[in-house]
Amino acid sequence: MLLLYDFLWCFFIYGLLGWCTEVAFAAVKSGKFVNRGFLNGPICPVYGVGVGIVVFLLYDYRDRIVLLYVLSTILVTFIEWMTGYLMDKIFHHKWWDYSHVPLNIGGYVCLLFSLVWGVACVFIVKVIHPLIARIVGMIPITAGVVILCVLVGATCADICVTTLRVLKMNHHLDMMERVAEELKELSDKLGENIYENVMEQHERAEKLREKYTELAKTSTHLGSRFVKAFPKMQSRRHQDLLEEIRQNLKKGRR
């Protein structure tokens, strides 16, 4: 039970620090605040899980720097790859993409960032975690359990809300795809039967265009945070529509 208690503290602390790192990096790059987390709250679960596992499995190797570095690099690379792969398969979106970086695996991980994360893990295990462990140790167990329960509850709620939002966005993209296909079929029919039922087909086309525009607005609203947070996100099924959302957001900013 105490092991779970310590791991949850690691998860939330390093998840928060990871979120702060991502936000700071995005702010330097774009000059403005962008919530770089998948969730709405200030936490990046992949950092919490990754660093938490590294600390728990490799802390005993803290005095063997080379071995700690090699094992950390392998471990965080696997965790990042597995996270990216599963999120891609579950939500049909590629949330980050290293395809443009040499020596990448499926665009989910690349050698350069893996080497950097290895250095970061060594620094965390050697310098940061002992300080974190002392701070956590100062919190009374009862108070700590209460705080963790609140954080776990809030995070679970955030996961549910975010998941529903992504699924809703995907549903709207599916509907937009079907409407676009119907519009194409109508265009073909209008070309083939230019003198037959022109007004009827025209009215139907106008209704479909209005529906498509309405869906596009809703999808842009639903997907705006994810597009901003993951500028290189790719959709397995709706890449063209995802690009349309990006263009709509650019037009909105102008």
Side-chain angles (χ1 to χ4, degrees), residues 62-212:
R62 60 188 179 278
D63 295 325
R64 303 169 67 182
I65 300 297
V66 175
L67 183 59
L68 174 61
Y69 175 75
V70 172
L71 293 177
S72 296
T73 301
I74 294 173
L75 195 55
V76 296
T77 299
F78 175 75
I79 292 171
E80 184 178 21
W81 176 84
M82 181 60 71
T83 302
Y85 177 80
L86 290 177
M87 290 182 68
D88 190 352
K89 295 306 177 184
I90 293 171
F91 298 113
H92 308 295
H93 295 292
K94 203 171 186 179
W95 299 94
W96 59 86
D97 187 15
Y98 298 129
S99 298
H100 63 289
V101 182
L103 302 176
N104 70 85
I105 301 177
Y108 303 118
V109 294
C110 67
L111 181 61
L112 175 61
F113 278 89
S114 294
L115 295 176
V116 172
W117 287 125
V119 173
C121 285
V122 171
F123 180 75
I124 289 171
V125 171
K126 292 285 292 182
V127 180
I128 301 296
H129 187 68
L131 176 61
I132 296 295
R134 285 197 295 271
I135 294 174
V136 172
M138 296 170 61
I139 302 174
I141 295 295
T142 303
V145 170
V146 172
I147 294 171
L148 287 176
C149 287
V150 173
L151 292 176
V152 168
T155 302
C156 288
D158 197 351
I159 290 173
C160 292
V161 170
T162 302
T163 299
L164 290 174
R165 188 182 184 92
V166 174
L167 294 177
K168 189 174 182 179
M169 180 181 72
N170 286 345
H171 176 66
H172 276 77
L173 291 174
D174 284 334
M175 292 178 65
M176 288 173 67
E177 193 77 51
R178 289 195 293 270
V179 170
E181 289 176 359
E182 284 195 53
L183 281 170
K184 184 178 182 303
E185 289 178 5
L186 279 175
S187 297
D188 292 341
K189 288 181 180 179
L190 283 170
E192 294 170 359
N193 306 288
I194 192 68
Y195 296 110
E196 298 178 9
N197 303 319
V198 174
M199 291 306 298
E200 180 181 345
Q201 299 289 4
H202 177 71
E203 290 176 3
R204 187 181 175 194
E206 284 299 318
K207 290 179 180 178
L208 286 171
R209 288 193 185 93
E210 291 176 3
K211 185 176 181 181
Y212 184 89

Side-chain angles (χ1 to χ4, degrees), residues 34-38 95 224-232:
V34 177
N35 183 356
R36 284 280 294 161
F38 174 72
W95 299 94
S224 61
R225 190 180 74 76
F226 299 112
V227 171
K228 292 176 183 177
F230 299 93
K232 295 187 181 297

Side-chain angles (χ1 to χ4, degrees), residues 205-239:
E206 284 299 318
K207 290 179 180 178
L208 286 171
R209 288 193 185 93
E210 291 176 3
K211 185 176 181 181
Y212 184 89
T213 301
E214 181 181 348
L215 287 169
K217 290 180 180 178
T218 305
S219 297
T220 300
H221 173 70
L222 289 170
S224 61
R225 190 180 74 76
F226 299 112
V227 171
K228 292 176 183 177
F230 299 93
K232 295 187 181 297
M233 181 178 72
Q234 297 181 20
S235 175
R236 292 296 185 192
R237 299 188 301 189
H238 309 294
Q239 184 59 29

Side-chain angles (χ1 to χ4, degrees), residues 20-44:
C20 292
T21 301
E22 289 284 349
V23 168
F25 179 78
V28 171
K29 191 174 181 180
S30 64
K32 59 183 179 181
F33 168 78
V34 177
N35 183 356
R36 284 280 294 161
F38 174 72
L39 300 179
N40 295 293
I43 185 172
C44 286

